[in-house]
């Protein structure tokens, strides 16, 4: 008795095609997920009013750089992690000596020297006393 088994489509070629399709799917999924995360993070930064320049510090790298792989990865990071982290954690802001903190607004105007105006200079210019709020 003779038994002959023949697989008409080549099994090795079929498996190779499935592996190639899997590599393409994983790599494209990682690129799409990385791009989505980057754009969402940038949108949160600009939406919080921190400006587009800080939003543009968010970067994306996908690996492998060229080609496709089943082990593809995406890395999203910030070029300004200290600034982004400070807005994320909300650090305590204090004055130099820890007593009063004066925040000049646009309505206060500029200093005669061209920089930010000091509380003392503002009082001298306007003749009004500042009131301190605890």
């Amino acid at each position: 008795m003779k038994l002959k088994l023949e697989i008409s489509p080549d099994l090795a070629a079929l498996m190779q095609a499935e592996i190639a399709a899997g590599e393409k799917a994983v790599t494209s999924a990682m690129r799409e997920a990385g791009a989505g995360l980057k754009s969402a993070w940038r949108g949160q930064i600009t939406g919080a009013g921190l400006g587009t320049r800080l939003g543009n510090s968010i970067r994306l790298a996908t690996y492998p750089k060229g080609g496709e792989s089943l082990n593809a990865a995406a890395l999203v990071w910030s070029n300004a992690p200290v600034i982004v982290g400070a807005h994320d954690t909300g650090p305590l802001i204090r004055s130099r000596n820890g007593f009063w903190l004066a925040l000049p607004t646009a309505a206060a105007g500029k200093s005669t020297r061209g920089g930010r105006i000091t509380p003392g200079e503002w009082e001298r210019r306007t003749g009004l006393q500042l009131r301190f709020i605890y």
Side-chain angles (χ1 to χ4, degrees):
M1 174 178 209
K2 263 182 146 179
L3 187 61
K4 184 178 178 183
L5 177 65
E6 187 178 316
I7 301 174
S8 68
D10 186 17
L11 189 59
L14 225 117
M15 290 305 294
Q16 191 61 35
E18 285 298 314
I19 290 172
E23 287 175 341
K24 185 176 182 179
V26 169
T27 304
S28 66
M30 290 310 300
R31 284 188 183 131
E32 187 177 326
L37 177 60
K38 181 181 83 167
S39 66
W41 197 2
R42 282 183 174 183
Q44 288 176 4
I45 289 173
T46 54
L50 301 176
T52 56
R53 286 185 66 194
L54 186 59
N56 287 340
S57 73
I58 307 301
R59 300 287 183 216
L60 165 69
T62 55
Y63 301 98
K65 293 285 187 189
E68 291 149 353
S69 171
L70 286 173
N71 297 321
L75 176 64
V76 180
W77 75 97
S78 171
N79 276 341
V82 175
I83 298 170
V84 172
H87 286 286
D88 187 35
T89 58
L92 182 62
I93 301 171
R94 294 185 180 188
S95 67
R96 251 181 249 154
N97 59 7
F99 191 59
W100 297 105
L101 179 64
L103 301 173
T105 62
K110 294 273 186 192
S111 171
T112 55
R113 296 181 302 267
R116 291 184 182 150
I117 192 168
T118 64
E121 185 178 352
W122 190 85
E123 284 181 342
R124 281 191 303 279
R125 276 167 133 192
T126 62
L128 299 172
Q129 284 279 36
L130 289 174
R131 65 186 167 105
F132 295 98
I133 301 171
Y134 292 96

